[in-house]
Amino acid sequence: MTYPGDQWGASGGQPGYGQQPGYPQQPGYPQQPAYGQQPGYPQQPAYGQQPGYPQQAGYGQQPGSGTPPSGGLPGWGWALIVIAGVLVVALIVWAVWQGFRDGDTDDETAPATTTTSSTEPTSSSTTSTVGTDTADALSLDRTVALTGDPTISFTASGWVDEGVELQQGGQKQTWRAPGGECSFAAYVFEMSAFPSSTDREKSMERYDLVAADSIGILTDVRDAAQPVTSGESIDVLEFAMQRTTTLDEWLLTRTFAGSGHEIILSLVCRSGQIDQERIDDVRSNIVLDVRH
């Protein structure tokens, strides 16, 4: 098969490939296809064709040829679809994790740990139902100044000590019940002193903050006595509330206005798991040391 007009002789008068001047033409050469020509494919231009010649037939469009694709999304379009899919999956996983976390008793957030205001309250929004002896040196109705930070430990058998976590203005230590349905936490904070307020006034401010952070009150606030290592007992506020739809919380709290120290003892259980027997067991295993 010959290539009319495509022989080397067509581009400038040179003799065709295989035709040397003065020699007879070698048999078969004019019938060979050009280098790279496949049988049955459209005619290819001669090997070594320079840019500017017509595009080779039978081959796909090469990148950068200037001809737009015939259809389908471009690469950046598919990239946007993949990114959107990943974001949707991430949101679903986050929502599932949040639901699981709400059902867990390992609530790492302290109960309303907002620092109380230094403004002296004119009255408390909630009134304690039980009075205490004002002659007691650790009565809520006095302004008590501690000489050092309170220390709290928990000795209940089988409960796992999960360690101490530093928080703004203080720290939290947590223990978890053997079955995992409850956890006990002891918070110790140190704030500014309020020498012109009684411990009851500042303790009731803490109660108001905690109550505002809950979704329901289970038992009204009342006075209670908690033993300390010195053999004395200190007055504390006792109350219980519903923290979330799946968690209940029982608390003892006391603010020492004279020195700015504050303690919060918190038992958190799955809804319906807090009863008086469990409360008595927890209280009997609290070791509280205060120095005044």
Side-chain angles (χ1 to χ4, degrees), residues 22-178:
Y23 292 89
Q25 179 175 349
Q26 298 190 19
Y29 276 79
Q31 301 302 317
Q32 297 296 327
Y35 181 80
Q37 180 73 31
Q38 300 295 326
Y41 282 78
Q43 178 178 339
Q44 303 290 330
Y47 179 80
Q49 180 175 334
Q50 300 299 318
Y53 284 79
Q55 181 180 342
Q56 296 187 15
Y59 286 83
Q61 181 73 31
Q62 299 298 321
S65 63
T67 304
S70 59
L73 284 175
W76 59 264
W78 284 110
L80 288 178
I81 292 175
V82 171
I83 292 172
V86 170
L87 289 176
V88 170
V89 172
L91 287 174
I92 293 174
V93 172
W94 178 84
V96 172
W97 179 82
Q98 283 292 99
F100 174 78
R101 183 174 180 272
D102 287 343
D104 193 357
T105 60
D106 186 16
D107 193 334
E108 296 297 333
T109 304
T113 55
T114 305
T115 304
T116 54
S117 170
S118 60
T119 304
E120 296 298 320
T122 56
S123 62
S124 176
S125 61
T126 307
T127 303
S128 174
T129 59
V130 180
T132 57
D133 183 3
T134 57
D136 186 348
L138 293 174
S139 167
L140 277 165
D141 295 313
R142 301 178 68 89
T143 302
V144 178
L146 300 183
T147 59
D149 293 341
T151 60
I152 305 169
S153 57
F154 190 62
T155 60
S157 177
W159 289 60
V160 178
D161 185 352
E162 297 189 337
V164 176
E165 175 188 346
L166 296 180
Q167 298 197 342
Q168 183 178 4
Q171 66 180 31
K172 165 192 175 183
Q173 186 166 4
T174 305
W175 294 263
R176 184 167 297 282

Side-chain angles (χ1 to χ4, degrees), residues 125-130 204 207-208 211 214 216-224 236-242 249-253 276 279:
S125 61
T126 307
T127 303
S128 174
T129 59
V130 180
M204 288 302 298
Y207 165 79
D208 291 339
S214 68
I217 303 299
L218 298 178
T219 62
D220 291 333
V221 60
R222 68 183 187 91
D223 288 6
V236 293
L237 296 182
E238 180 183 11
F239 52 96
M241 58 188 53
Q242 189 177 12
E249 184 175 21
W250 168 85
L251 300 103
L252 298 177
T253 183
Q276 192 60 47
I279 290 173

Side-chain angles (χ1 to χ4, degrees), residues 184-227:
F184 174 74
Y187 300 86
V188 177
F189 297 101
E190 185 174 2
M191 306 174 297
S192 300
F194 303 94
S196 59
S197 297
T198 66
D199 288 9
R200 182 181 299 278
E201 289 172 332
K202 304 311 292 184
S203 297
M204 288 302 298
E205 287 185 14
R206 171 59 64 193
Y207 165 79
D208 291 339
L209 288 172
V210 175
D213 196 45
S214 68
I215 64 173
I217 303 299
L218 298 178
T219 62
D220 291 333
V221 60
R222 68 183 187 91
D223 288 6
Q226 181 62 35

